[in-house]
Amino acid sequence: MARPIVSSAAMHVARPPLAAQASRSPSWDGRFTVLILFLPPALLLFTLFVVLPIGEAAWYSGFNWNGFGKPTNWIGFDNYRFVLETRAFWLALRNNGLIIAVSLCVQLPLALTLALMLAERFRGAVALRMLFFMPYILAEIATGLIFSFVYDGDYGLVASIWRSFGAEPPHLLASTDTAMLAVLIVIVWKYFGFHMMLFIAALQSIDKSLIEAARIDGATRLQGLRHIVVPLLYPTIRLSVFFAIVGSLQLFDLVMPLTRGGPADSSNTMVSFLYNNGISRMRVGYGSAIGVILFVICVTFAFTYKRWFMRDE
Amino acid sequence: MSNAETTPRPFDPAVLFKAVFLAIVAIFVLVPLFATLLGGFKSLGELRVNPFGLPHHWEWQNYADILFSGRYWQLLRNSLIISTLTVTLTLLVASMAAFTFAHVRFYGSSMLLSYLTLGLLFPAATAVLPLFIRVRDLGLLDTYFGVALPQVAFSLAMSVLLLRCFFKDIPYELLEAALVDGCSYVKFFRYVTLPLSRPILATVGTITFVNSWNAYLLPLVMLNTDALYPWPLGIMVYQGEYSSEWHLILAFITLTILPTIILFLLAQKHIVAGLTSGAVKG
């Protein structure tokens, strides 16, 4: 090497931004090469397959179009009107609301409780963490199929429990009264471990001396939890809530193997509604309108939430 | 926690409560999994009367039939091809972009980065119909690339963020020294940044792989030929064909989630690290 690795004191103290030295630095050419070689693939793929399709969804939603040829039959906002006039859409929206409610009121408290128990070191803690995290790793499709067996009215686990009480087993997934409830239970089973892991990661970064100091000052275990640990977890809790809601709004894969949104649309989510009505019948305009409504809900929620609850992060 | 106890611990109701609670949750998680695994070893008749317990007679044939059918391996092969394509392209494209955002200052850098990270907020379902039309017009319908390219695009936002975060920690002095010595940015990226970043590349790669391996909606829309189906699509078709022959379906499910579980056990460190750091920094 012609020179040793540069470590002049001046460079350590103040890093001149590369832009400032661009004119005198011999590296400008290299920088240019990187810019025209390294960025375009990512930007191109992202624009072509994420951003443009979302813009196109807005455009297509104005047409009555089956996806073949060019869209010509402009019908303005009619697709939106058709969507909003469909009872099944409101059912799907209600179901997404239910999923959010269960995620926030059942899943997150469960995850938090488990995280508080498993963040401490004891024999088996790590194994239990991994066990609880396992459902999250499984594909939604596999999870859904496993539970369609669990719920099966002839061969399933629930049926067998019912029979052991001498009752005629119900077909939970085939009844409009119970299908959605059954789906909600699967959602908790699948996702609580993910949130538990988030909480455990956050708990492990908490300074233990804070809690010990409180204990020495006479705080009970519960008081320590209530007034120190949980407040320190607030950023993670807010994040968890964010993930839970965004994930709930987009739930699809789990519903398909369980119920396909049925019976009688009783367990549709917005995305399964989009799939059943837009994609499988190639009603591009109508489906795009559903997609745009979903987009508006997700993005509005995300920005509002970030603004209100995650300002400091 | 006091470890230096010499006297036997007094009975603590809190500990008992905790143990019971954890046991209940563990049972809640485990029962469906074990029932699936064991169900594949039963005959249909036995499954009906004994869905919980150990099989009275182990039907290895259920599993053997699937393992000796070409179908199972074809599904795994398709999944493997699509996931490998997705991971390779994601790592390549995302690391190049992340490197640029981390080490090259240029006008509009932060704007372009925020543009990419907007991808975290967009619901994929909104894009799926226009995406189908774009992929069709590109002639990529019913090809592995038709599935992989959109998957890469959708995984870019998170990957670029995670990688950039890591790349920024590589000392700036190292790059300066290299540049002064006549090393180019590209060479620095290739011979310094990438080798130094193996842990984060493994993490991002694993997460991308799991997502792609489990994906359903995009392959469902982009693929029409059974022969190209990845396993989530294939298993749905299988379930449709064998509608209530649950013993076969359960064996098939077990065999398809097995690779996932093995991968998880091998790479759990990377998976957990990726999810939690992605969550905290994303």
Side-chain angles (χ1 to χ4, degrees):
Chain A
M1 263 199 254
R3 289 175 58 160
I5 288 183
V6 175
S7 56
S8 73
M11 283 214 167
H12 273 295
V13 176
R15 294 176 173 181
L18 271 178
Q21 29 162 276
S23 52
R24 50 200 168 81
S25 154
S27 61
W28 199 89
D29 284 337
R31 206 155 62 94
F32 187 70
T33 320
V34 170
L35 280 182
I36 58 168
L37 272 182
F38 276 23
L39 269 189
L43 294 176
L44 194 75
L45 275 174
F46 183 69
T47 309
L48 208 58
F49 291 110
V50 179
V51 178
L52 280 181
I54 285 173
E56 284 158 355
W59 169 240
Y60 293 154
S61 72
F63 291 92
N64 183 3
W65 186 38
N66 65 4
F68 295 97
K70 289 263 165 282
T72 47
N73 190 2
W74 174 262
I75 55 168
F77 286 100
D78 278 0
N79 278 323
Y80 292 92
R81 219 189 63 219
F82 298 147
V83 173
L84 297 178
E85 279 173 356
T86 313
R87 198 180 83 94
F89 170 76
W90 294 101
L91 270 177
L93 201 64
R94 184 207 66 172
N95 286 341
N96 278 108
L98 279 176
I99 295 168
I100 291 173
V102 167
S103 299
L104 299 187
C105 306
V106 179
Q107 179 170 277
L108 292 190
L110 174 68
L112 186 58
T113 314
L114 289 170
L116 290 169
M117 288 178 175
L118 293 177
E120 295 165 19
R121 277 171 203 283
F122 63 88
R123 269 208 2 231
V126 174
L128 280 175
R129 274 183 218 168
M130 287 305 148
L131 173 65
F132 294 165
F133 190 62
M134 186 110 85
Y136 181 71
I137 296 300
L138 297 185
E140 269 87 353
I141 291 295
T143 311
L145 287 177
I146 289 173
F147 273 87
S148 51
F149 162 66
V150 169
Y151 292 137
D152 188 275
D154 292 319
Y155 298 97
L157 305 185
V158 175
S160 132
I161 296 173
W162 234 266
R163 257 188 248 114
S164 71
F165 289 108
E168 185 61 24
H171 290 253
L172 292 175
L173 294 174
S175 153
T176 50
D177 299 325
T178 49
M180 193 57 208
L181 178 71
V183 172
L184 290 172
I185 292 171
V186 185
I187 290 171
V188 174
W189 186 86
K190 173 114 174 72
Y191 298 106
F192 79 92
F194 168 68
H195 295 279
M196 182 198 75
M197 276 299 186
L198 289 187
F199 291 139
I200 287 179
L203 281 169
Q204 283 173 340
S205 65
I206 287 179
D207 187 356
K208 297 281 177 298
S209 61
L210 278 173
I211 300 159
E212 270 161 34
R215 293 298 287 280
I216 290 166
D217 288 345
T220 63
R221 227 181 115 70
L222 217 62
Q223 283 172 326
L225 276 185
R226 163 95 180 66
H227 296 287
I228 298 171
V229 178
V230 171
L232 284 172
L233 281 180
Y234 277 156
T236 312
I237 293 174
R238 284 197 288 262
L239 202 72
S240 220
V241 169
F242 182 78
F243 281 142
I245 295 180
V246 170
S248 299
L249 286 170
Q250 299 187 42
L251 194 87
F252 170 69
D253 295 13
L254 206 55
V255 178
M256 290 308 278
L258 283 168
T259 64
R260 291 173 198 272
D265 290 312
S266 62
S267 66
N268 257 331
T269 63
M270 266 184 289
V271 181
S272 72
F273 178 70
L274 190 163
Y275 179 79
N276 289 332
N277 290 282
I279 299 174
S280 64
R281 297 181 209 167
M282 277 311 280
R283 292 166 68 187
V284 176
Y286 187 78
S288 296
I290 306 168
V292 171
I293 294 172
L294 175 69
F295 177 84
V296 169
I297 294 175
C298 283
V299 172
T300 312
F301 161 75
F303 278 112
T304 323
Y305 191 81
K306 281 213 153 163
R307 185 158 201 174
W308 284 1
F309 296 105
M310 290 156 65
R311 208 175 309 169
D312 33 309
E313 281 130 62
Chain B
M1 295 288 100
S2 51
N3 294 320
E5 284 170 309
T6 45
T7 50
R9 216 179 292 190
F11 173 74
D12 186 349
V15 171
L16 181 71
F17 170 77
K18 191 165 141 176
V20 170
F21 186 75
L22 289 174
I24 291 173
V25 180
I27 290 171
F28 173 59
V29 170
L30 276 174
V31 164
L33 292 176
F34 268 114
T36 304
L37 173 74
L38 294 175
F41 283 111
K42 293 169 187 169
S43 67
L44 192 59
E46 191 190 340
L47 197 60
R48 193 184 163 97
V49 288
N50 173 28
F52 280 101
L54 288 173
H56 300 309
H57 179 260
W58 293 76
E59 299 275 351
W60 290 92
Q61 202 58 38
N62 296 346
Y63 283 98
D65 284 348
I66 294 164
L67 283 174
F68 289 118
S69 72
R71 186 175 194 168
Y72 170 73
W73 298 104
Q74 187 184 43
L75 293 180
L76 286 201
R77 207 196 82 207
N78 290 335
S79 282
L80 200 63
I81 295 175
I82 294 173
S83 303
T84 311
L85 272 178
T86 306
V87 171
T88 316
L89 284 172
T90 301
L91 286 183
L92 185 73
V93 171
S95 64
M96 293 193 316
F99 176 77
T100 319
F101 285 122
H103 287 312
V104 183
R105 317 222 170 162
F106 61 96
Y107 182 75
S109 158
S110 66
M111 216 178 65
L112 283 179
L113 184 64
S114 350
Y115 171 71
L116 268 184
T117 49
L118 272 182
L120 289 173
L121 302 177
F122 294 161
T126 300
V128 111
L129 267 167
L131 209 47
F132 166 81
I133 288 159
R134 156 136 310 125
V135 168
R136 185 188 66 193
D137 292 350
L138 290 171
L140 292 174
L141 219 53
D142 246 344
T143 64
Y144 295 126
F145 272 100
V147 180
L149 288 178
Q151 282 185 349
V152 173
F154 271 95
S155 64
L156 276 178
M158 182 58 97
S159 308
V160 169
L161 274 183
L162 283 174
L163 290 169
R164 189 188 81 108
C165 219
F166 191 92
F167 291 171
K168 272 176 88 88
D169 289 342
I170 293 173
Y172 187 77
E173 287 75 15
L174 219 55
L175 175 63
E176 273 181 342
L179 292 177
V180 170
D181 285 343
C183 173
S184 70
Y185 276 94
V186 179
K187 274 192 176 158
F188 184 84
F189 170 71
R190 168 73 186 78
Y191 293 105
V192 181
T193 308
L194 287 186
L196 281 177
S197 312
R198 281 212 195 99
I200 189 74
L201 290 172
T203 297
V204 172
T206 317
I207 300 287
T208 314
F209 190 90
V210 171
N211 285 339
S212 170
W213 183 262
N214 291 346
Y216 177 66
L217 179 59
L218 266 175
L220 178 66
V221 175
M222 303 301 170
L223 301 175
N224 287 316
T225 317
D226 286 21
L228 297 176
Y229 280 0
W231 75 265
L233 285 183
I235 200 173
M236 287 288 277
V237 173
Y238 190 87
Q239 195 254 2
E241 284 170 26
Y242 291 83
S243 56
S244 60
E245 298 193 50
W246 273 112
H247 57 313
L248 294 178
I249 301 169
L250 292 178
F252 207 99
I253 297 173
T254 306
L255 287 175
T256 46
I257 61 179
L258 220 54
T260 319
I261 291 174
I262 292 169
L263 177 79
F264 171 58
L265 293 177
L266 290 176
Q268 39 150 308
K269 201 178 73 190
H270 293 300
I271 294 176
V272 174
L275 290 172
T276 48
S277 65
V280 176
K281 282 163 189 160

